Amino acid sequence: MIRAFSYNEFLFLLSAVQWTLALSAIAFIGGATVGLVIALARTSEIKAVRLAATGYIQLFQGTPLLMQLFLVFFGATVMGLDLNPWAAAALGLTLNASAFLGEIWRGCIQAVPRGQWEAASALGLRYPGLMRYVILPQAVKVAVPPTVGFLVQLIKSTSLAAIIGFTELTRAGQIVNNATFQPFLVFGIVAVLYFLMCWPLSLLSARLERRYALATR
């Protein structure tokens, strides 16, 4: 039975924001952890490690996120694992985010002037010490703006989790629309809520980028 859009429907959409943010946070933290390993592997002195990391990045960057979510969700069932939509969405987004963050951070690591690498090597620092004490502290400054920018994309990407049944903001919008049959109003509100989540991060990314540009002049 079709019902009118009311305050309760709006509260339901608003409450779904917390699940979008929670999924984004889990995917970002997990993606950052794995992504750092991938970035270090991409700049490793061992060729086999570099090739493995490159293959990982190309696999996840070269296939649609939606397909990756399908493979994680339905593939787990085929292998006898019982993954609920929440766990499947978190795992799929984490793997995808790790590939993109790994490549972003690889570029930031290699953006550190070559002279810094050579000077550290001349001091006798091996790869772990070279990264920890010389390269990574400088790369972090370069990495912050694009990392914040990627977080904006990650928040919007969580909308694809609705396809596998996870009730985040987009899925909540579908549920409310099916009950009220007012798509323009419902998805207009959903779009505004996404904008309110992403806009401050976009401003922060632009501000950090300007600050870094001024610092390097």
Side-chain angles (χ1 to χ4, degrees), residues 86-179:
W86 166 261
L91 178 57
L93 285 166
T94 292
L95 294 173
N96 183 268
S98 67
F100 282 90
L101 286 174
E103 188 67 358
I104 289 171
W105 292 346
R106 186 274 311 164
C108 295
I109 289 172
Q110 293 182 336
V112 175
R114 199 64 197 172
Q116 297 290 321
W117 296 71
E118 294 170 353
S121 297
L123 293 173
L125 287 176
R126 299 185 66 84
Y127 184 80
L130 171 72
M131 284 293 171
R132 180 179 178 182
Y133 298 111
V134 180
I135 303 303
L136 288 182
Q138 297 181 68
V140 165
K141 297 178 182 179
V142 186
V144 171
T147 300
V148 175
F150 175 76
L151 180 56
V152 174
Q153 298 300 318
L154 183 59
I155 291 173
K156 292 185 288 186
S157 295
T158 59
S159 62
L160 293 175
I163 302 297
I164 60 172
F166 179 67
T167 307
E168 41 65 69
L169 181 54
T170 298
R171 178 60 179 163
Q174 292 173 347
I175 293 171
V176 172
N177 180 61
N178 290 340

Side-chain angles (χ1 to χ4, degrees), residues 9 11 24-25 39 50 56 59 71 77 99 117 132 139 146 158 164 186 188 190 200 212:
E9 277 69 33
L11 287 181
S24 300
R50 292 199 306 271
Y56 180 91
L59 174 64
L71 289 173
T77 303
W117 296 71
R132 180 179 178 182
T158 59
I164 60 172
V186 172
V190 168
Y212 174 74

Side-chain angles (χ1 to χ4, degrees), residues 2-5 175-186:
I2 298 176
R3 63 174 183 265
F5 186 89
I175 293 171
V176 172
N177 180 61
N178 290 340
T180 62
F181 202 66
Q182 298 185 56
F184 185 79
L185 174 61
V186 172

Side-chain angles (χ1 to χ4, degrees), residues 180-200:
T180 62
F181 202 66
Q182 298 185 56
F184 185 79
L185 174 61
V186 172
F187 291 111
I189 293 173
V190 168
V192 169
L193 291 174
Y194 272 114
F195 177 77
L196 292 176
M197 286 188 285
C198 296
W199 183 53

Side-chain angles (χ1 to χ4, degrees), residues 42-57:
R42 284 277 280 125
T43 57
S44 172
E45 299 172 343
I46 304 172
K47 184 177 180 180
V49 173
R50 292 199 306 271
L51 290 176
T54 300
Y56 180 91
I57 290 172

